[in-house]
Amino acid sequence: MQHEAHAGHVHHPASSWSMAVQATLHCLTGCAIGEVLGMVIGTALGWGNLPTTILAIVLAFFFGYSLTLRGVLRSGLGFRAAVQVALAADTLSIAVMELVDNGVIVLWPGAMDAELADLLFWGALAISLAIAFVVTVPVNKWMIGRGKGHAVVHRHH
């Protein structure tokens, strides 16, 4: 009888703060690579703030997904399934990180107009990513506790 009561129960991995921090650091790495590369390219091409920001966000998602995809593909999963895992694992985490990161930059006086050679550019970017990290860790902990986010990736390692 007890066995039948648990038949529909899905066991989710333990959601520790350590796991959430690791998942968020992974997300932060991809986001930071994309953000910096997008801003460097947009600035070098003389683009305005909006197209540069859009490029930085697109590249943040690209590199965030790519880092997960690389690890999942190494586990032997096929490309299509690996893409699905990367999308399921990272979309909310990257979206929260990008929303917070870019929100801080937009609200920071002068940050949107800072050039690559300005300390304000690098300082605002570093602080905005740090704030985004702090906000995103609980999101990842919540997702992992429900068997989503990076919990999906851990099933393939």
Side-chain angles (χ1 to χ4, degrees), residues 11-28 89-90 93 133 136-157:
H11 177 71
H12 298 300
S15 174
S16 70
W17 284 106
S18 175
M19 282 181 72
V21 166
Q22 287 180 343
T24 309
L25 282 172
H26 172 92
C27 178
L28 177 67
D90 291 334
S93 182
F133 175 83
T136 307
V137 168
V139 172
N140 280 323
K141 185 176 187 310
W142 178 79
M143 289 191 324
I144 291 167
R146 281 149 189 77
K148 301 190 181 315
H150 270 261
V152 176
V153 172
H154 289 282
R155 290 183 209 135
H156 298 283
H157 283 269

Side-chain angles (χ1 to χ4, degrees), residues 1-12:
M1 190 83 168
Q2 261 186 348
H3 180 68
E4 290 174 15
H6 292 288
H9 178 73
V10 177
H11 177 71
H12 298 300

Side-chain angles (χ1 to χ4, degrees), residues 63-82:
F63 282 101
Y65 289 141
S66 294
L67 291 175
T68 298
L69 192 59
R70 187 189 73 190
V72 174
L73 285 171
R74 274 193 271 156
S75 75
L77 204 59
F79 183 76
R80 183 182 206 135

